[in-house]
Amino acid sequence: MSLPPPPPLPQEEEIPELEIDVDELLDMESDDTRAARVKELLVDCYKPTEAFISGLLDKIRGMQKLSTPQKK
């Protein structure tokens, strides 16, 4: 008695690359504006984004914008 072939392995879904410019977010006036911008960037994401956005904004609050060193 032969066994049937195993089912094919599920294909790993292709994850599109996304770049979020943190400096751009730091330049914005409020968390609401930042959240709106990130939602805009994630518009094609079919998974829930609220927790990601909330966590990202929490991290950004503790950051300062990096400035390029001034030449003397």
Side-chain angles (χ1 to χ4, degrees):
M1 180 169 139
S2 69
L3 296 172
L9 294 173
Q11 295 295 313
E12 198 170 301
E13 62 186 285
E14 179 112 357
I15 300 172
E17 255 187 58
L18 173 67
E19 191 171 303
I20 296 175
D21 184 347
V22 174
D23 282 340
E24 174 190 0
L25 297 177
L26 288 170
D27 283 340
M28 295 179 175
E29 295 294 318
S30 69
D31 276 355
D32 289 341
T33 310
R34 291 180 186 109
R37 175 63 180 138
V38 176
K39 279 181 190 167
E40 212 176 272
L41 294 170
L42 297 175
V43 72
D44 292 332
C45 183
Y46 62 90
K47 293 185 177 183
T49 57
E50 293 303 317
F52 172 78
I53 293 171
S54 177
L56 180 63
L57 294 179
D58 285 344
K59 287 181 174 78
I60 287 175
R61 277 186 213 106
M63 300 175 88
Q64 292 181 354
K65 187 173 180 182
L66 295 175
S67 57
T68 51
Q70 304 268 330
K71 289 189 176 182
K72 293 183 179 180

